Amino acid sequence: MPETSSLPAPVTTSGASAKRDVLLRAAGELFARQGYRAVGIDTVLAAAGVAKMTLYKHFRSKEELIAAVLEQRGDAIATDLSERIAAAPATPSNPGAPILAVFDWLADAVRSPEFHGCLFIKAASEYPDPQDLPRQAAVAFKKSC
């Protein structure tokens, strides 16, 4: 999936996991549009339709929520990109098909109306301290690419 503000649809079976997924989705969409520091916890709670207790049951802090959003987004990007590359195998007549698939994926990502910039770069810029969880999550994703 291109790096857009919409997180992948959650696949859950328990109520607790479903609420966690709702939190991640709402937070991811808000962070993508408005930035991390501009979005308060109360805004995330209102968008997700959950209580503060639910948030803190799953995440100890806003920074931990941000790191979880980035981890989920990174996993979704890696999966979607791998699928796109696998669907475009190199052939004798088109040996560059896999690399072209990467560029096609990137073009789709940045053209999406839901794309508001790279969440990982935003996290690194809004959380400059190397000890910050959001920065660590962003760096980990960028290193895995």
Side-chain angles (χ1 to χ4, degrees):
M1 146 180 145
E3 184 186 335
T4 64
S5 63
S6 296
L7 293 173
V11 179
T12 60
T13 55
S14 72
S17 295
K19 287 183 179 185
R20 183 179 191 278
D21 289 338
V22 167
L23 277 166
L24 289 170
R25 177 177 299 249
E29 290 174 358
L30 289 165
F31 296 151
R33 284 194 315 267
Q34 300 174 28
Y36 298 104
R37 295 205 185 261
V39 175
I41 288 298
D42 290 336
T43 303
V44 173
L45 296 174
V50 300
K52 195 174 277 194
M53 180 180 262
T54 301
L55 171 74
Y56 290 113
K57 176 182 175 185
H58 296 286
F59 306 101
R60 291 178 293 209
S61 65
K62 178 181 174 185
E63 288 73 23
E64 193 172 288
L65 172 64
I66 293 168
V69 166
L70 291 172
E71 182 179 335
Q72 185 181 49
R73 184 67 51 91
D75 290 347
I77 289 169
T79 297
D80 193 58
L81 193 51
S82 294
E83 289 171 0
R84 184 77 72 103
I85 292 167
T91 63
S93 63
N94 190 5
I99 192 71
L100 292 174
V102 172
F103 287 105
D104 288 342
W105 177 88
L106 184 58
D108 290 346
V110 299
R111 288 184 183 135
S112 168
E114 295 153 351
F115 181 75
H116 301 284
C118 176
L119 284 180
F120 303 96
I121 292 172
K122 285 181 183 184
S125 68
E126 289 190 42
Y127 290 88
D129 187 327
Q131 300 306 312
D132 291 332
L133 283 176
R135 182 172 189 89
Q136 290 174 4
V139 168
F141 174 76
K142 292 296 184 179
K143 283 183 178 181
S144 73
C145 294

